[in-house]
Amino acid sequence: MTNGKTVLLVEDDPAIALIIRETLKGECGTFASVGSIAERNAWLADHRPDLIITDVVLPDGDGIDSLPGVGVDPETPVIVLSAQNTLDTAVRATGIGSYDYLPKPFDLEELTASVRAALQRRRAEPADRADAGQADSHGLVGRAPAMQAVYRTIARLASNDLAVLILGESGTGKEVVARAVHATGLRRSGPFVAINMAAIPRELIEAELFGHEKGAFTGAHSRNAGRFEQAAGGTLFLDEIGDMPIEAQTRLLRVLQSNEYSTVGGSQALRADVRVVAATHRDMRTLVADGRFREDLFYRLNVIPVTLPPLRDRRSDIAALVRHFVDAGRHSGLPDRQFAPAAMQLLERHDWPGNVRELGNVVQRLAVLSRDTVVAVRDVQAVLHDNLEGGVSAEPADLLARAVDDWAREQIVDGGLDGDIHERLEAIVEAALFRRILREVRGNQLEAARRLGINRNTLRKRLGQLDIDPTHP
């Protein structure tokens, strides 16, 4: 529905400009398009737009950095489009108070929805981000589409103190994201304090989080500040929150509800002046359903969820990640290395069950073990073989999920998923389980049935149906 609003597009690619013009012609009364900063400034000298849509890389400069100070009404919403799809770009877009940031290639329906919403309401006041232009990627590498939602979410967290829950498989970089949230947020001048909930004995978790007074328990010879106190004014990162004992969850919930806590053995109420960022590789909703994690605490932590993609879903980033790890290794005294194209292709085809962490370890190992400056295919093959022999730190559930994903992909390629999908998948998983247990118990069907929680006759029937020889599983 056409209205009387005026939209200015700053885009130097005529084809993209034409597509956007045709897409938005029904959303505004006047649509103007320019291809450079100079043309933009000249147009703005005589007109007042209701919305600006701008690219970042323009022939005569940066579309973000050059926008402040050209006389644009601070209430005018700005939508930033960019092929420079990094966290830095997203943060800089937020720094000028942009209404939205859409990485190229963008979805036209998403652009239309953003334009429509921007024209219907006034933009919020810009956050105080005087140094946003100095931001960097904060250790986050890659421009794959799967990472763009992560960058956009981090950028939108810069002007608030909401709790964040980072989800993702082991090794995807959850602590890196937590540090990026801290470094780009309002509390960036305060401390970043991390605690791994899975690494602390159950009986010491409360003392670690909230501190303790002298004599509070055996061995408490002096007062000790907890992580909440250490992180005052900054960010508290609760890693592996899914492994937190249920009894400690109750105390943490009370702190998040009241923003107050007391030390173990203490009576004075202390203020919890922190932003809480939590992370886990576990399926939190399953933990809640099983009664192993409090539902009310989950919702307190899950205000803004950030889901990290596994490395196999962002293979186009592997080359950039390899260069990042090579550069980091060189600064730490490791030899500089280049990768032959075929060697890089081998890395890109690998599934990386240990994700970015595993890739970093492999690159560092190759930097040390490769005899030549250029890493060859045989070098990569040898290291990947060693990884498979030695195993990687991936959760069994993650490995099972990957296997199912690969199987489903093959089924789709072969002609689609039919109605008996659940029965076929159940048979595959059940057969694998039966074979494993029969091998473990050396073919003892009575013991196998006991471990499976079924009776022996049921086991025999299923073995026949699955065509499994119990003597040679």
Side-chain angles (χ1 to χ4, degrees):
M1 181 174 62
T2 303
N3 52 44
K5 302 292 186 179
T6 298
V7 173
L8 171 64
L9 172 66
V10 188
E11 170 60 64
D12 62 322
D13 187 321
I16 295 178
L18 177 61
I19 292 172
I20 293 177
R21 175 189 291 275
E22 291 302 307
T23 301
L24 299 180
K25 63 183 180 182
E27 301 296 329
C28 58
T30 302
F31 185 94
S33 179
V34 297
S36 68
I37 292 174
E39 292 176 2
R40 180 199 68 189
N41 293 348
W43 190 94
L44 288 172
D46 299 322
H47 303 84
R48 182 174 178 174
D50 295 292
L51 169 66
I52 297 175
I53 305 172
T54 183
D55 194 3
V56 177
V57 179
L58 296 164
D60 52 348
D62 187 296
I64 295 178
D65 292 343
S66 63
L67 192 57
V70 296
V72 178
D73 188 324
E75 294 301 319
T76 302
V78 178
I79 295 176
V80 175
L81 310 175
S82 177
Q84 302 294 313
N85 302 332
T86 64
L87 176 59
D88 172 46
T89 306
V91 170
R92 291 197 298 123
T94 302
I96 64 166
S98 65
Y99 178 81
D100 204 355
Y101 161 71
L102 299 177
K104 293 181 178 178
F106 49 85
D107 182 83
L108 290 175
E109 291 185 1
E110 186 177 9
L111 173 62
T112 301
S114 184
V115 167
R116 190 174 296 159
L119 291 174
Q120 288 177 349
R121 71 179 192 181
R122 295 165 67 88
R123 185 188 64 184
E125 287 295 325
D128 181 13
R129 298 286 295 159
D131 61 341
Q134 303 301 316
D136 57 25
S137 293
H138 303 287
L140 289 168
V141 178
R143 300 181 180 182
M147 287 298 292
Q148 295 312 306
V150 175
Y151 294 156
R152 292 174 67 187
T153 301
I154 293 174
R156 289 171 177 174
L157 287 167
S159 60
N160 59 68
D161 248 357
L162 298 175
V164 181
L165 179 61
I166 305 171
L167 305 169
E169 295 176 8
S170 297
T172 48
K174 294 186 286 294
E175 182 168 348
V176 177
V177 170
R179 290 183 180 276
V181 169
H182 171 74
T184 58
L186 299 174
R187 295 174 174 267
R188 58 191 176 278
S189 60
F192 177 90
V193 175
I195 179 172
N196 189 320
M197 307 307 298
I200 302 172
R202 304 170 69 92
E203 63 274 11
L204 296 180
I205 283 183
E206 290 196 18
E208 284 288 332
L209 283 175
F210 310 116
H212 62 77
E213 300 297 324
K214 180 179 179 180
F217 49 83
T218 302
H221 301 300
S222 61
R223 184 186 187 278
N224 184 65
R227 303 303 172 92
F228 268 92
E229 187 173 346
Q230 295 169 15
T235 300
L236 176 61
F237 176 48
L238 304 176
D239 198 8
E240 300 299 352
I241 190 69
D243 294 297
M244 188 177 196
I246 194 75
E247 57 271 17
Q249 295 174 24
T250 302
R251 180 103 188 259
L252 177 60
L253 175 64
R254 287 200 298 267
V255 174
L256 297 182
Q257 289 174 330
S258 65
N259 286 325
E260 289 186 344
Y261 68 97
S262 59
T263 59
V264 176
S267 57
Q268 181 181 358
L270 303 175
R271 183 167 180 269
D273 180 23
V274 300
R275 176 183 211 155
V276 173
V277 178
T280 182
H281 68 277
R282 298 191 180 279
D283 184 336
M284 292 296 288
R285 295 189 184 278
T286 298
L287 293 180
V288 170
D290 292 345
R292 289 181 287 164
F293 201 89
R294 292 187 59 125
E295 184 177 27
D296 43 7
L297 177 57
F298 169 65
Y299 287 119
R300 281 280 177 180
L301 295 170
N302 194 41
V303 178
I304 304 294
V306 180
T307 301
L308 292 185
L311 188 53
R312 63 186 176 279
D313 287 349
R314 46 181 296 221
R315 295 178 191 272
S316 60
D317 285 339
I318 287 178
L321 286 164
V322 168
R323 176 43 51 190
H324 168 76
F325 289 127
V326 168
D327 291 343
R330 188 178 67 251
H331 293 149
S332 301
L334 297 181
D336 193 7
R337 292 286 185 256
Q338 301 295 322
F339 282 74
M344 186 63 73
Q345 290 172 6
L346 185 58
L347 292 175
E348 291 173 340
R349 289 197 302 268
H350 188 61
D351 268 348
W352 299 110
N355 291 295
V356 177
R357 182 189 296 127
E358 183 190 3
L359 176 63
N361 291 340
V362 165
V363 171
Q364 291 183 343
R365 198 179 311 166
L366 287 167
V368 173
L369 299 180
S370 298
R371 295 182 178 181
D372 300 324
T373 302
V374 178
V375 177
V377 169
R378 64 179 181 276
D379 301 320
V380 174
Q381 289 174 331
V383 171
L384 292 182
H385 179 267
D386 288 344
N387 260 25
L388 292 173
E389 289 293 316
V392 293
S393 57
E395 289 292 306
D398 292 338
L399 296 175
L400 178 59
R402 290 184 198 125
V404 173
D405 180 75
D406 291 340
W407 177 80
R409 184 171 61 247
E410 291 176 2
Q411 300 303 306
I412 293 171
V413 170
D414 290 342
L417 302 173
D418 52 36
D420 67 344
I421 176 69
H422 296 292
E423 290 79 1
R424 286 193 289 144
L425 182 57
E426 182 179 351
I428 292 171
V429 175
E430 192 175 20
L433 177 62
F434 285 1
R435 288 191 176 97
R436 166 54 63 184
I437 290 180
L438 284 167
R439 288 196 297 269
E440 291 288 332
V441 299
R442 301 180 185 276
N444 186 327
Q445 295 181 48
L446 189 61
E447 175 62 15
R450 188 190 67 78
R451 294 193 183 189
L452 288 166
I454 60 179
N455 63 55
R456 187 176 181 182
N457 290 335
T458 301
L459 174 62
R460 284 179 171 174
K461 180 179 178 181
R462 289 301 292 150
L463 291 177
Q465 292 170 338
L466 296 169
D467 196 25
I468 297 175
D469 180 355
T471 61
H472 297 88

